[in-house]
């Protein structure tokens, strides 16, 4: 089951938990928190298991980050023609939250990992097919076992009682209802990573383990699904994010990318987080093409739609991050164009 966030109604960088998008490949399991355990085993000198009560006693850390499904905006990558649909359907597989939990690093240290280990297979408690191979390096960096989202315990659909959370990485790797971390020296090539979340390159080869989400932005106000009632003053605003770090600038164009003007990003700017941008604008009532283009702290920026298409084999749909164009017609109607 897949549900989309109503981004066209969101202001700011936090998505209320009840409006967070959701992807559940095998439904939402009904887990008794008293019975649930997390195992860390495999290439470890000291295999360990934790109950929820054990985990609650660790130091908790976390922060404000986005989570984006690798398939967000798949319609833009997959279809040859731009689909006549709304912002929410095109971009609603991204949300922003504060998540708090136990650093995975602390738990791995207790397990006393074999120095030859390089990977960890993370598995959910929902039917057994939901597993991903994660490089040990990411787990020793900023990964957490999340217990809280936006101040409250995780909701059942968001992985209650515990989920893995990997800031900036493809949503699929943040395994919900986490029950097992198996330490190994090689990836498992699970069906999720080999079949669903890998991309085909122009020469037909497969790009697997494309873990982080690329820099991306979208104007949420105004956007498809809304109308502009009259000419005159508008505050253009939207969201930008990068799976590698902080957003450092967002530019906006009202002439289809011929000229660009820097937008204001003075709101909170967090690492691997939704970042709000805005710019005042006057619409003269003529047809225009609005675009936004974000840059992250490593100088990465968004490709045009044509550039993005040239990077992948026709029909590839994951990791779409091209510049979005909203066409505004003389009646104030807003539509998705390439
Ligand atoms: N165990 C388990 N974890 C999972 C999934 C799942 O189906 N089962 N879906 C994944 C996918 S594809 C995404 S995009 C994110 C979505 O997280 P959310 O539902 O909290 O938005 O969870 C990931 N973790
Ligand atoms: Mo996903």
């Amino acid at each position: 089951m897949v549900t989309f966030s109503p981004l066209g109604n969101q202001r700011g960088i936090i998505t209320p938990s009840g409006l967070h998008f959701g992807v559940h490949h095998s439904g939402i399991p009904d887990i008794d928190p008293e019975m649930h355990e997390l195992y860390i085993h495999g290439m470890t000198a000291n295999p360990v298991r934790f109950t929820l009560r054990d985990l609650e006693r660790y130091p908790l850390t976390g922060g404000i980050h986005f989570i984006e499904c690798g398939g967000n905006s798949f319609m833009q990558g997959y279809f040859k023609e731009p689909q006549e649909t709304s912002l929410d359907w095109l971009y609603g597989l991204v949300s922003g939250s504060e998540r708090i939990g136990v650093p995975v690093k602390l738990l791995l240290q207790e397990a006393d990992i074999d120095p030859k280990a390089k990977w960890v297979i993370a598995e959910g408690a929902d039917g057994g097919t939901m597993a991903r191979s994660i490089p040990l390096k990411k787990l020793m960096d900023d990964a957490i076992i999340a217990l809280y989202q936006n101040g409250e315990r995780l909701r059942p659909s968001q992985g209650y009682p515990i989920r893995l959370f990997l800031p900036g990485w493809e949503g699929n790797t943040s395994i919900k209802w986490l029950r097992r971390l198996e330490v190994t020296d090689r990836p498992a090539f699970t069906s999720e990573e080999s079949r669903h979340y890998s991309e085909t390159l122009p020469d037909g080869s497969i790009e697997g383990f494309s873990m982080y989400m690329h820099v991306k932005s979208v104007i949420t106000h105004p956007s498809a699904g809304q109308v502009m009632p009259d000419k005159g003053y508008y505050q253009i605003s939207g969201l930008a994010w990068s799976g590698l770090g902080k957003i450092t600038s967002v530019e906006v164009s009202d002439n289809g990318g011929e000229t660009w003007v820097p937008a204001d990003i003075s709101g909170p700017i967090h690492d691997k987080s939704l970042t709000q941008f805005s710019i005042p604008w006057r619409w003269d009532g003529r047809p225009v093409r609005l675009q936004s283009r974000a840059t992250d702290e490593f100088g990465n920026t968004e490709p045009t739609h044509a550039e993005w298409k040239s990077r992948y084999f026709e029909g590839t749909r994951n990791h779409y991050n091209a510049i979005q164009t909203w066409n505004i017609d003389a009646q104030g109607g807003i539509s998705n164009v390439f």
Side-chain angles (χ1 to χ4, degrees):
M1 193 186 80
V2 180
T3 55
F4 293 73
S5 270
L7 288 187
N9 295 311
Q10 178 171 330
R11 293 289 192 175
I13 63 174
I14 301 287
T15 309
S17 294
L19 300 176
H20 199 283
F21 83 89
V23 181
H24 328 295
H25 290 188
S26 324
I28 300 169
D30 186 4
I31 293 175
D32 179 349
E34 296 294 331
M35 301 294 286
H36 191 77
E37 289 180 326
L38 170 65
Y39 292 80
I40 302 183
H41 68 117
M43 291 173 69
T44 62
N46 179 37
V48 275
R49 67 176 169 187
F50 303 91
T51 63
L52 189 55
R53 287 180 200 282
D54 297 331
L55 292 172
E56 281 166 349
R57 295 179 59 188
Y58 280 81
L60 302 179
T61 56
I64 296 174
H65 300 291
F66 73 85
I67 179 166
E68 183 180 18
C69 180
N72 193 24
S73 320
F74 72 91
M75 285 186 244
Q76 301 292 73
Y78 183 68
F79 293 109
K80 288 206 166 80
E81 298 300 326
Q83 302 297 292
E84 276 181 49
T85 179
S86 70
L87 166 77
D88 300 351
W89 290 104
L90 291 170
Y91 285 88
L93 294 182
V94 67
S95 293
S97 299
E98 182 188 43
R99 282 195 190 71
I100 303 289
V102 182
V104 180
K105 186 181 170 180
L106 293 181
L107 307 180
L108 288 174
Q109 279 164 348
E110 278 191 50
D112 194 1
I113 289 172
D114 186 324
K116 290 197 287 293
K118 291 239 158 15
W119 292 80
V120 172
I121 319 303
E123 185 188 76
D126 55 333
T129 57
M130 190 54 221
R132 286 293 300 253
S133 312
I134 318 285
L136 194 53
K137 203 161 160 255
K138 178 68 174 176
L139 296 177
M140 297 302 277
D141 180 16
D142 56 0
I144 62 168
I145 305 292
L147 304 177
Y148 294 87
Q149 181 172 325
N150 297 334
E152 60 181 19
R153 293 301 301 263
L154 296 180
R155 296 184 178 203
S157 62
Q158 286 148 1
Y160 182 79
I162 58 170
R163 88 177 298 168
L164 183 63
F165 179 62
L166 304 179
W169 283 26
E170 184 172 86
N172 188 259
T173 60
S174 283
I175 303 290
K176 299 189 277 194
W177 314 293
L178 185 71
R179 71 170 168 202
R180 208 159 68 85
L181 293 174
E182 182 180 345
V183 183
T184 116
D185 57 359
R186 69 198 74 174
F189 293 97
T190 68
S191 71
E192 291 293 309
E193 58 210 17
S194 310
R195 182 159 171 244
H196 300 294
Y197 293 93
S198 57
E199 293 74 54
T200 312
L201 299 179
D203 66 358
S205 64
I206 304 292
E207 176 185 62
F209 305 104
S210 44
M211 302 298 218
Y212 71 87
M213 296 309 291
H214 295 93
V215 62
K216 183 162 167 177
S217 72
V218 65
I219 295 172
T220 57
H221 301 82
S223 62
Q226 301 163 8
V227 281
M228 305 217 309
D230 202 355
K231 58 188 183 208
Y233 176 80
Y234 285 88
Q235 177 84 352
I236 294 176
S237 74
L239 296 166
W241 61 97
S242 164
L244 287 176
K246 290 185 172 133
I247 292 296
T248 47
S249 73
V250 181
E251 298 155 292
V252 170
S253 171
D254 68 358
N255 51 23
E258 274 169 47
T259 56
W260 296 91
V261 178
D264 176 29
I265 50 165
S266 58
I269 301 177
H270 298 283
D271 189 42
K272 303 163 189 150
S273 165
L274 297 184
T275 303
Q276 179 108 38
F277 65 88
S278 64
I279 187 168
W281 179 64
R282 192 170 291 282
W283 183 42
D284 63 11
R286 281 193 292 239
V288 286
R289 291 194 161 198
L290 288 184
Q291 297 182 331
S292 65
R293 182 173 68 183
T295 303
D296 71 16
E297 60 181 311
F298 301 102
N300 300 299
T301 190
E302 296 169 74
T304 63
H305 177 75
E307 283 164 355
W308 188 90
K309 291 290 278 186
S310 72
R311 291 179 190 174
Y312 296 100
F313 195 77
E314 186 60 42
T316 295
R317 61 182 93 184
N318 288 337
H319 286 267
Y320 184 86
N321 74 321
I323 293 168
Q324 172 63 35
T325 310
W326 299 128
N327 185 71
I328 298 171
D329 63 29
Q331 285 71 45
I334 307 163
S335 58
N336 170 40
V337 295
F338 288 157

